[in-house]
Amino acid sequence: MRYPFLAGAAVALATAVLAACGSSGGSGDGGREAAAGSKPSAAASPTPSVAGPAAGTAAPSPQKSGGTPKAPPGDITPATGSFTKKQKEYLTDRVPKGMDPAAVLQTGQETCDRLRYLVKADRDIAVGAIVSGEVADAKPAVAHLCPRHQDLVDEAALGYADGTYKGAKVRPGRYRAASPTTACSWQLTGAAGKDLESGSSATGKQVEITVPESARTFTSTGCYAWLPQGENG
């Protein structure tokens, strides 16, 4: 049974479980293990939220550091122990000069933690969190630190967050909003702005739409995330 507040419930679930477990648990994918002989960064909060890095974490989102110079590969070493091959691959071109690479690695590990606990709650919630951006930088973290979640990233790449999409970004197929808000509305238009379909839902329950080949613009508000149904693509 789905609930209209699935996204919010997932955030609460992930936060509560992680608060109990702290940052010492292993993911089993190679990314959760801290550098050999070292401990997780003390600056990281043990209770990260779905919306982004935990409060107090020293590392900013590596992909949003703009023109900040990055540390050369030779300088990416932990204070003690060593990084695994996959950890080094994740950190390459992601560590600003002068920053502790362990703090950047911790951000990626927290992303894997969030996905792990969200999947336990509901797979659609996990995919929707990636689509909406609530779980930030999921693609690189999953690729190098928790590859078992690659299917979530692949599915999310075919979904839509709230917003307006035009031209080639509008892909025909069947989509579902698994956990929309009670103010969910959408509109599909074709050539010359022709109205193809529009609708809304105040129930907070899952809704489905079909994006036709003739669609040129797709606009969504309050629906959180649209996930692909079947073999879209």
Side-chain angles (χ1 to χ4, degrees):
M1 177 178 181
R2 298 186 180 279
Y3 297 89
F5 50 89
L6 283 177
V11 176
L13 173 62
T15 302
V17 177
L18 287 175
C21 296
S23 58
S24 59
S27 68
D29 295 303
R32 279 293 302 139
E33 297 179 1
S38 65
K39 298 293 184 180
S41 171
S45 166
T47 57
S49 66
V50 173
T57 299
S61 176
Q63 290 187 340
K64 298 179 181 179
S65 56
T68 303
K70 302 298 189 298
D75 291 347
I76 302 178
T77 56
T80 60
S82 60
F83 291 127
T84 66
K85 179 180 179 181
K86 287 296 185 181
Q87 289 171 340
K88 288 180 179 178
E89 290 175 353
Y90 172 76
L91 292 170
T92 299
D93 295 327
R94 300 179 68 81
V95 182
K97 282 187 175 181
M99 177 169 286
D100 180 4
V104 177
L105 178 62
Q106 180 70 15
T107 300
Q109 291 173 334
E110 288 172 357
T111 294
C112 290
D113 281 343
R114 294 177 196 130
L115 291 177
R116 181 158 58 99
Y117 286 109
L118 289 175
V119 165
K120 288 182 179 180
D122 189 299
R123 187 179 184 280
D124 281 351
I125 291 176
V127 177
I130 298 173
V131 172
S132 68
E134 285 192 65
V135 173
D137 298 326
K139 185 175 180 179
V142 167
H144 301 296
L145 305 178
C146 48
R148 66 178 176 174
H149 295 316
Q150 187 60 50
D151 62 317
L152 304 179
V153 173
D154 292 342
E155 183 174 338
L158 299 176
Y160 293 99
D162 280 332
T164 298
Y165 302 85
K166 298 181 178 181
K169 293 184 178 180
V170 180
R171 299 178 298 272
R174 189 75 179 167
Y175 297 87
R176 70 188 184 281
S179 53
T181 72
T182 54
C184 175
S185 64
W186 63 90
Q187 182 178 32
L188 289 162
T189 58
K194 179 181 179 181
D195 186 19
L196 300 177
E197 180 184 344
S198 61
S200 62
S201 175
T203 66
K205 296 180 179 180
Q206 176 172 299
V207 293
E208 298 184 2
I209 62 171
T210 297
V211 177
E213 293 278 355
S214 57
R216 296 293 179 269
T217 303
F218 173 38
T219 300
S220 170
T221 303
C223 300
Y224 181 61
W226 294 91
L227 313 183
Q229 285 274 60
E231 299 297 323
N232 292 353

